[in-house]
């Protein structure tokens, strides 16, 4: 989610839906970072910095933060400001870009009771799995948590303890080239997947006459968590369900087979053959370098595409993802939280860092400079934030959200997601869905029984 997973409460759907109703609405690349507008906006001051400095100045903490898009640059800017204002030295370490690898990194640290991590960025579906290793933030941050969307706070509350604070949200959207739609006589972006394939093919055929690297559609097709998110969107939007329903795996059904086979036949046809190795950043680079007509990605890509380093600045827009012949458009719920490790040697200082990072001022800074979805409703409705992020407008933000099936899998979610993304990657690489889905469904049901 960007590609971005172990217990998700049903309320997380309402989290994003609430943002919607209020008219607001998961791979690293060796490519050099782009020039970003974040540099032109100063990181906000730390409230009550003098008192914090008096208590904790001189202490050192380590923050395992973002690595996708310009997330690491944002983290560095905020940590620098926090350190300057409070005297607390913050070392920023980007986590592995793939969500499952990031999860494994934290598992190792917590199992070893390591104090090497003080604050960690955790996926929206991880609080249940990591709760035993995280500090209860309610005594110190309970009041501030009330500013955030209630259902996300509920998602981050395990056994009555607030084990993480909402930081920013995510959901899948479709990016498209407005100039190319006009050039090829299309008046609007595609409504269905069939429309997308048809439009992508026509535009690709024309553009490849002068750019052999141009393709119609790019997305996260690598065997990792991002593909689980894409798969959920494809199948749900085609009326094939949400992978696991009512405590049973339902991925092996006719509508799922149809949409997955439809995606399979596009590989190398309207997508790069290598899309089966793409994660978020490869998708973003392909689109922002002017080498794709359409891209499925998370909101963070918008801020990068709209800056001077992008070849598509002023030439693209966003909309909801397409749907199948009998389904409706959806977007997979993503989002990230900040948590403090129980094994930190400087818990109070770490909590103050989380307080700052999840404050309204920082969420506004993040939304405007990094195009991330605010989890504070007042920030999401801020005129400057909405102006900078068209995906927050109701026409896009009102799309139904679908959640990954972590509530059925609990601490076995990571294992189940691996079954999903490896199986779907096999399909994208040429194996018909009918030969893969039965085995996937059987494995998922076995995992559910263990959960």
């Amino acid at each position: 989610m960007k590609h971005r997973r172990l217990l998700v409460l049903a309320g997380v759907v309402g989290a994003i839906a609430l943002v919607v109703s209020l008219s607001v609405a998961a791979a690293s690349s060796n490519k050099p970072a782009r020039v970003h507008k974040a540099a032109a906006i100063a990181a906000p001051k730390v409230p009550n910095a003098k008192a914090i400095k008096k208590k904790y100045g001189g202490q050192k903490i380590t923050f395992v933060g973002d690595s996708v898009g310009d997330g690491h640059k944002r983290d560095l800017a905020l940590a620098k400001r926090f350190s300057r204002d409070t005297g607390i030295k913050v070392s920023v370490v980007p986590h592995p870009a793939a969500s499952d690898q990031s999860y494994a990194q934290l598992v190792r640290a917590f199992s070893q009771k390591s104090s090497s991590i003080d604050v960690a960025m955790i996926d929206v579906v991880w609080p249940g799995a990591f709760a035993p290793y995280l500090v209860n933030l309610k005594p110190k941050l309970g009041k501030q948590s009330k500013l955030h969307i209630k259902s996300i706070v509920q998602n981050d509350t395990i056994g009555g303890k607030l084990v993480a604070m909402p930081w920013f949200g995510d959901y899948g959207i479709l990016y498209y080239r407005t100039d190319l739609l006009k050039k090829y006589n299309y008046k609007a972006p595609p409504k269905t997947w069939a429309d997308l394939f048809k439009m992508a093919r026509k535009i690709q055929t024309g553009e490849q006459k002068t750019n052999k690297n141009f393709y119609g559609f790019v997305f996260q097709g690598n065997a990792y968590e991002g593909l689980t998110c894409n798969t959920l969107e494809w199948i749900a939007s085609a009326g094939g369900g949400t992978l696991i329903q009512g405590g049973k795996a339902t991925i092996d059904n006719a509508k799922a087979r149809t949409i997955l086979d439809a995606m399979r036949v596009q590989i190398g046809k309207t997508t790069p053959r290598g899309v089966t190795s793409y994660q978020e950043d490869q998708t973003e680079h392909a689109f922002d370098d002017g080498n794709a007509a359409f891209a499925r990605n998370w909101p963070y890509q918008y801020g990068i595409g709209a800056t001077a380093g992008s070849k598509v600045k002023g030439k693209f827009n966003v909309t909801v993802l397409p749907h199948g012949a009998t389904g409706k458009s959806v977007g997979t719920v993503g989002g990230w939280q900040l948590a403090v490790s129980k094994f930190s040697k400087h818990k109070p200082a770490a909590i103050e860092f989380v307080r700052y990072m999840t404050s309204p001022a920082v969420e506004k800074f993040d939304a405007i400079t990094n195009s991330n979805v605010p989890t504070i409703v007042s920030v999401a409705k801020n005129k400057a934030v909405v102006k900078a992020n068209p995906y927050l407008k109701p026409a896009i933000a009102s799309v139904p959200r679908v959640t990954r099936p972590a509530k059925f899998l609990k601490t076995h979610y990571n294992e189940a997601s691996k079954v999903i993304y490896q199986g779907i990657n096999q399909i994208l690489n040429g194996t018909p869905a009918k030969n893969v889905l039965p085995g996937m469904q059987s494995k998922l049901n076995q995992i559910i029984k263990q959960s």
Side-chain angles (χ1 to χ4, degrees):
M1 281 27 241
K2 326 179 198 126
H3 51 5
R4 292 339 187 165
R5 325 187 252 272
L6 262 159
L7 176 65
V8 111
L9 301 182
V12 81
V13 178
I16 306 301
L18 177 58
V19 178
V20 170
S21 67
L22 291 169
S23 300
V24 296
S28 61
S29 170
N30 293 324
K31 211 165 171 184
R34 304 178 190 279
V35 176
H36 195 274
K37 58 186 175 184
I41 302 176
K45 296 179 180 179
V46 179
N48 201 31
K50 188 175 181 180
I52 296 172
K53 189 172 188 176
K54 186 176 181 180
K55 286 185 177 181
Y56 313 118
Q59 294 186 12
K60 297 180 180 180
I61 61 174
T62 297
F63 170 44
V64 177
D66 213 343
S67 61
V68 176
D70 285 337
H72 182 55
K73 289 197 291 183
R74 172 207 58 211
D75 292 349
L76 288 173
L78 291 167
K80 182 179 180 180
R81 183 57 187 254
F82 181 81
S83 295
R84 185 175 74 191
D85 288 2
T86 67
I88 299 170
K89 306 301 180 183
V90 182
S91 174
V92 180
V93 180
H95 67 196
S99 188
D100 45 350
Q101 293 177 18
S102 178
Y103 176 83
Q105 177 192 49
L106 294 180
V107 167
R108 288 193 296 272
F110 292 148
S111 64
Q112 295 169 4
K113 298 182 179 181
S114 172
S115 61
S116 62
I117 297 174
D118 298 282
V119 178
M121 174 182 178
I122 67 173
D123 202 335
V124 71
V125 288
W126 293 351
F130 290 142
Y133 312 107
L134 304 176
V135 172
N136 179 15
L137 302 174
K138 185 176 287 187
K140 296 288 188 180
L141 302 181
K143 183 177 180 180
Q144 183 164 307
S145 72
K146 293 179 181 179
L147 299 174
H148 296 260
I149 296 169
K150 185 176 180 180
S151 52
I152 302 181
V153 176
Q154 291 174 337
N155 175 80
D156 297 342
T157 302
I158 307 297
K161 297 179 180 180
L162 181 65
V163 299
M165 279 285 283
W167 192 23
F168 63 84
D170 254 339
Y171 48 88
I173 54 179
L174 182 72
Y175 293 78
Y176 65 95
R177 289 281 299 276
T178 51
D179 59 329
L180 295 182
L181 262 63
K182 183 177 181 180
K183 179 178 178 180
Y184 291 91
N185 300 313
Y186 291 115
K187 295 182 179 179
K191 298 293 184 183
T192 67
W193 291 111
D195 289 340
L196 183 146
F197 300 149
K198 181 179 179 180
M199 294 167 69
R201 185 63 174 173
K202 181 178 179 179
I203 296 172
Q204 175 181 299
T205 299
E207 293 302 297
Q208 282 193 348
K209 293 177 181 178
T210 55
N211 180 6
K212 295 298 181 183
N213 294 319
F214 189 93
Y215 285 90
F217 179 46
V218 289
F219 59 90
Q220 298 79 57
N222 196 0
Y224 81 118
E225 181 66 14
L227 183 53
T228 296
C229 296
N230 279 251
T231 299
L232 179 56
E233 290 164 347
W234 298 338
I235 295 177
S237 70
T242 53
L243 311 183
I244 297 174
Q245 294 172 265
K248 293 183 179 180
T250 59
I251 195 169
D252 184 23
N253 64 75
K255 291 181 178 178
R257 290 191 290 271
T258 297
I259 188 63
L260 292 175
D261 281 335
M263 291 293 173
R264 172 175 57 82
V265 299
Q266 299 304 317
I267 306 301
K269 182 179 178 182
T270 59
T271 77
R273 184 65 193 84
V275 79
T276 56
S277 67
Y278 279 26
Q279 295 190 11
E280 281 80 8
D281 281 353
Q282 285 85 2
T283 302
E284 177 269 312
H285 287 317
F287 188 83
D288 290 340
D289 280 346
N291 292 326
F294 302 98
R296 181 275 177 205
N297 213 336
W298 309 96
Y300 87 95
Q301 179 175 313
Y302 192 94
I304 301 175
T307 58
S310 169
K311 293 182 180 180
V312 299
K313 180 182 179 182
K315 301 178 182 178
F316 76 97
N317 207 339
V318 292
T319 187
V320 297
L321 291 165
H323 57 79
T326 59
K328 296 181 179 180
S329 295
V330 301
T332 295
V333 171
W336 292 82
Q337 338 296 308
L338 295 183
V340 175
S341 170
K342 276 188 176 180
F343 308 114
S344 168
K345 293 181 179 179
H346 303 290
K347 296 182 186 69
I351 290 172
E352 291 305 324
F353 180 66
V354 172
R355 185 194 304 277
Y356 171 65
M357 295 289 278
T358 60
S359 65
V362 169
E363 283 219 351
K364 181 179 178 181
F365 172 84
D366 188 25
I368 292 176
T369 64
N370 210 44
S371 66
N372 277 323
V373 183
T375 58
I376 297 175
V377 175
S378 61
V379 175
K381 294 199 300 183
N382 180 275
K383 290 182 179 179
V385 170
V386 175
K387 182 179 180 180
N389 300 291
Y391 64 81
L392 289 173
K393 295 178 180 178
I396 300 171
S398 60
V399 70
R401 302 293 186 264
V402 285
T403 57
R404 288 162 282 175
K407 66 179 180 179
F408 298 112
L409 298 158
K410 302 181 177 65
T411 56
H412 293 279
Y413 174 80
N414 202 41
E415 179 185 355
S417 184
K418 187 174 182 180
V419 170
I420 295 168
Y421 62 66
Q422 287 185 340
I424 302 303
N425 186 262
Q426 183 182 350
I427 293 171
L428 294 179
N429 276 302
T431 306
K434 67 178 182 180
N435 296 342
V436 179
L437 294 184
M440 289 175 60
Q441 182 158 298
S442 177
K443 290 178 181 178
L444 289 173
N445 280 325
Q446 290 176 13
I447 295 172
I448 292 170
K449 290 180 181 178
Q450 300 169 11
S451 301

